[in-house]
Amino acid sequence: MSCRSGNFRKQALSDEILMRVEKPARYIGNELNSVRKDLEKIDIRFAMCFPDVYEIGMSHLGIQILYELFNRRPDTWCERVYSPWPDLHRIMKEEKIPLFALESQDALKQFDFLGITLQYEMCYTNILQILDLAQIPFYAKERGEEHPLVIGGGPCAYNPEPIAAFFDLFYIGEGEEQYDALLNLYKKMKKEQKGRAAFLHEAAKLEGIYVPSLYAASYHEDGTLAAFTPLADDIPKKIKKQVDRNLTDSVYPEKPVVPFLKATQDRIVLEIQRGCIRGCRFCQAGMIYRPNREKDVSRLKELAQKMIASTGYEEISLSSLSSSDYSQLEELVEFLIGECREKGINISLPSLRIDAFSLDVMSKVQDVRKSSLTFAPEAGSQRLRNVINKGLTEEDILHGAKEAFSGGWNKVKLYFMLGLPTETEADIRAIPELANEIAMLYYDTVPKEERNGKCQITISTSFFVPKPFTPFQWASMGAPEDYIAKAGIVNGHLREQLNHKSIRYNWHEAEVTVLEGVLARGDRRLSDVIKKAYENGAFFDAWSEFFDFGKWLDAFEACGLSIDFYNRRVRFEEELFPWDFLDAGVTKEFLLREWKNALAETVTPNCRQQCSGCGARTFGGGVCFEDKN
Amino acid sequence: MKIRIKFRKRGVMKFVGHLDMMRYFQKAMRRAGIDICYSAGFSPHQIMSFAAPLGVGLTSDGEYFDIEAHSSPSSSEAIRALNETMADGVEVTGYVRLSDDAKSAMSQVAAADYELRLPEGFLPSYSAEEWEEKIKKHFRDAESFTVVKKTKKGERALDLKPLVYEFCAGECGGICFFLKVSTGSTENVKPELVLDALFERLGICATPAVSVHRREIYARTEDGRFLPLLDMGEEIA
Ligand code: SF4
């Protein structure tokens, strides 16, 4: 009888455990293009974590870029780790199995760095889950020489304060810029055996690096921030966001890791540009990734070919905040259509403005009868769209929809936000009214005999959450019941519309919104609340089946902090915000000017029409230096 | 042209389920530059079908799928190209051309060989010869070998005797059982079920963590012989 070969790789979890949990492939690593290195030949072990389940984490482009960036260094081995699903979480806690990285299956606690990407506030308790399972103390101040350095980055690092206590350091801005300097410094000081405190002190002097333990916050009697100061003279007062000036030549994952499981984003992602020229006032990404920078089309063509060859994916998607603004879009799309046709690869083109060009392209790459058009007016009325500076007029929408209906589409998705600053009931009622008008247009445009059934319009509303470094950072929020009432108005008024049978309405949950608001604009004192909430059993808060607001309310109460202080209070123009020590490029003067423009319902032109002097020009690249006519 | 591909799945790959393996090979075809045919229309898919799904937790030396291709390099060249882009634990071991009127692998599957290994320290610690005797008594020499199968509609008694073609025990760095069982869409016998039924007759109630390995999948020829699926095609020179 022949013997089969046994296991040739180390596995952190036994077969018996893997057979007990849902989707064991989340925990085995071994994916195509994942990187393995010889421990003898490296100096730095870096574990890169996305604190959510594997299928979500594996869909994130930023981690793939950093994975490539780090693993290009011969002295560094970067591995990945994601949140164990609650079924495995229980087993690991019971059996005291330490959390491990996927590639080596080694415990995280023996790594030099644990990097955690911060993509949304609702993952904060999952950070604690990671630390808990990794057997690393929650608070940075409780960690010793034997523990990894825990470093955070990503959009939520633009207000790192609510989670500051859990991190040894934060990286502010784009990883391409300063990580080499940080790793070089670490390697040097590790060799010299300088110790953790000395390293953190030196690291804090690097541009873009924030070491929370080296700063102190003090508060006014009313609870607002009084001062935020470095504890040593040689530590910078302001920390400057890092910007990659030359995206075209930057490192990009030419061989991305290909998961066995179907990830949420199960395709090649081609980042065509970073940042956005349109200054929508609610949009944090549009502000913190300024200035807008494009990748040259010839580089994108080369990347597309390489990534198709290295992954075999059946789909390629463009990634950017507003694809239609990419100046070489036509050339790129034509190239991709030619490249993908024979290979049976689908092309997906998100964030396109609906116009003649995009409809033509979409009709070539997707089945018109099955696919839907997406509009994101964000606000129902023109008045409110002016407040938020969303340069999409009713005429644009109706014109785009009419052309689409003539082209054979009959499904439309509409995205709106409720709870925007200055919103009135009339603005809310304008949402179903607009949907009704689009439905009417369908029945007027498409003769009965050519109709592919009814038109199907879906309205989705989310509740607006003011974010740091946006003109709306001064705005107040509502209570959960206010939000529910707003959704109720949409729903009620929808029923009064002539075409309501062609329109469906989905809305977002209100309690999550309230919590997101607190965590987005909170201060250092919230770390204790987050820890308490985790101890109460809160995690996977981004998953509605696990979210339990009660656990959070108890945590706020136990820590003596109030949600209303963070959400309902009116913020004064001169208030010092917990994130003001960061220099994100856009100046506070600009943001305040834009806040006033919003209240005055004044529209601000986009970066290609006219520079508004936001401050991002100091980075010396991108749209700020394009020829303006 | 129709092509049949055989592969092994070992190590941690046993935790990658059947649907994910299909998606895995769709990508692998593209990476290896196999000239596979696509269905027409938007979102085209590859013409590919698997012989018999393998459960999560099982390893195998004999997995099969068929594809439709416009053209093909030699078998050895195709195997080389595919193995250059495999994840650890997956290895392509066969690549043959089928006749144009060949039936699909799935419809041809008639039997499969399995190897079941007892975990270390399994009790009672019978020797291979002792296990052989028990199999002889309870299975080979018995009139029938009936098990109760749980189905959606309730329970149903099923005699496995005519569906288990071979059943023996051996030594392989531990105790191993070898089984050849009926497989496919009509009567699909899970090898664990056979072993469980034996344990039941011996009064062993704890379900031990038996590891299951598929060795080969067979079609049945008109004269009743079992032929490995790969043998139904011709090597491409
Ligand atoms: S400086 Fe001007 S052009 Fe540059 S990002 Fe700011 S507003 Fe746009």
Side-chain angles (χ1 to χ4, degrees), chain A residues 61 64-66 68 251-257 269 303 307 310:
Chain A
L61 174 65
Q64 295 260 16
I65 293 177
L66 292 174
E68 172 83 21
V251 34
Y252 200 74
E254 296 180 4
K255 290 178 165 188
V257 179
V269 178
L303 280 175
M307 291 169 84
S310 71

Side-chain angles (χ1 to χ4, degrees), chain A residues 517-541:
Chain A
V518 178
L519 297 176
R521 290 188 298 173
D523 53 45
R524 283 187 169 203
R525 293 171 297 187
L526 287 171
S527 294
D528 292 338
V529 177
I530 297 166
K531 177 166 165 280
K532 190 85 203 152
Y534 177 72
E535 286 165 355
N536 290 347
F539 72 148
F540 284 97
D541 290 311

Side-chain angles (χ1 to χ4, degrees), chain A residues 149-446:
Chain A
L149 290 151
V150 182
I151 180 165
C156 293
Y158 286 89
N159 177 20
E161 288 303 276
I163 44 174
F166 312 131
F167 284 84
D168 295 290
L169 59 171
F170 288 95
Y171 184 111
I172 312 298
E174 296 170 356
E176 290 93 335
E177 283 305 291
Q178 198 62 273
Y179 256 122
D180 271 329
L182 184 73
L183 295 182
N184 290 342
L185 176 71
Y186 176 78
K187 187 171 150 184
K188 178 167 158 280
M189 294 188 72
K190 187 184 174 187
K191 273 209 181 97
E192 295 163 359
Q193 299 190 323
K194 286 284 172 49
R196 192 179 188 96
F199 167 71
L200 287 173
H201 196 114
E202 280 312 300
K205 296 179 194 167
L206 291 176
E207 240 188 40
I209 301 295
Y210 166 48
V211 177
S213 59
L214 297 177
Y215 294 79
S218 59
Y219 302 89
H220 292 298
E221 243 169 61
D222 66 1
T224 56
L225 193 63
F228 191 87
T229 38
L231 293 171
D233 292 340
D234 54 353
I235 301 299
K237 283 198 181 63
K238 273 240 169 192
I239 289 151
K240 194 170 183 190
K241 159 183 106 165
Q242 299 302 294
V243 169
D244 183 351
R245 255 157 303 225
N246 181 1
L247 274 190
T248 297
D249 298 322
S250 271
V251 34
Y252 200 74
E254 296 180 4
K255 290 178 165 188
V257 179
V258 183
F260 296 117
L261 291 174
K262 193 167 169 52
T264 313
Q265 177 89 251
D266 188 45
R267 50 187 73 90
I268 295 170
V269 178
L270 200 56
E271 184 189 33
I272 58 176
Q273 61 183 341
R274 217 171 270 177
C276 181
I277 60 168
R278 294 167 193 274
C280 296
R281 291 175 182 133
F282 55 85
C283 177
Q284 190 190 37
M287 294 292 160
I288 61 177
Y289 296 123
R290 282 185 175 216
N292 163 265
R293 290 145 290 150
E294 296 194 339
K295 245 186 189 150
D296 190 73
V297 71
S298 56
R299 165 82 167 142
L300 290 175
K301 289 179 187 173
E302 175 202 327
L303 280 175
Q305 281 173 325
K306 283 187 174 164
M307 291 169 84
I308 289 170
S310 71
T311 64
Y313 268 121
E314 41 284 289
E315 186 168 333
I316 185 165
S317 170
L318 303 185
S319 160
S320 90
L321 292 168
S322 168
S323 300
S324 295
D325 293 326
Y326 178 64
S327 58
Q328 293 155 301
L329 186 68
E330 218 169 316
E331 184 179 343
L332 179 64
V333 170
E334 251 165 53
F335 171 83
L336 289 178
I337 290 176
E339 204 51 29
C340 295
R341 189 164 285 154
E342 254 106 89
K343 298 189 177 113
I345 299 169
N346 298 319
I347 302 172
S348 113
L349 303 164
S351 72
L352 275 190
R353 218 179 12 254
I354 306 300
D355 55 23
F357 165 71
S358 62
L359 289 172
D360 177 53
V361 167
M362 284 194 289
S363 68
K364 285 183 193 151
V365 303
Q366 54 185 229
D367 189 345
V368 169
R369 295 167 70 92
K370 284 191 191 135
S371 55
S372 56
L373 291 181
T374 302
F375 291 98
E378 307 294 0
S381 69
Q382 192 56 46
R383 186 200 72 79
L384 195 53
R385 282 195 294 273
N386 291 347
V387 169
I388 64 177
N389 207 42
K390 181 88 199 183
L392 185 67
T393 64
E394 185 155 334
E395 207 191 318
D396 295 335
I397 298 168
L398 294 178
H399 184 76
K402 191 180 166 87
E403 285 204 24
F405 291 148
S406 315
W409 274 271
N410 71 340
K411 296 189 187 71
V412 179
K413 287 187 188 154
L414 298 170
Y415 289 92
F416 297 94
M417 279 187 286
L418 290 171
L420 286 162
T422 78
E423 176 189 69
T424 64
E425 189 168 332
D427 297 316
I428 299 176
R429 293 162 72 93
I431 293 173
E433 287 162 14
L434 180 61
N436 184 57
E437 223 171 309
I438 295 173
M440 236 147 62
L441 191 67
Y442 175 78
Y443 296 110
D444 289 349
T445 309
V446 188

Side-chain angles (χ1 to χ4, degrees), chain B residues 86-125:
Chain B
M86 287 293 110
D88 274 11
V90 194
E91 189 194 342
V92 174
T93 55
Y95 182 103
V96 292
R97 179 173 185 168
L98 301 173
S99 63
D100 289 344
D101 58 359
K103 282 197 245 153
S104 73
M106 199 194 297
S107 63
Q108 289 178 320
V109 173
D113 286 346
Y114 290 94
E115 207 176 281
L116 285 74
R117 181 195 297 254
L118 291 182
E120 246 172 77
F122 178 79
L123 289 173
S125 58

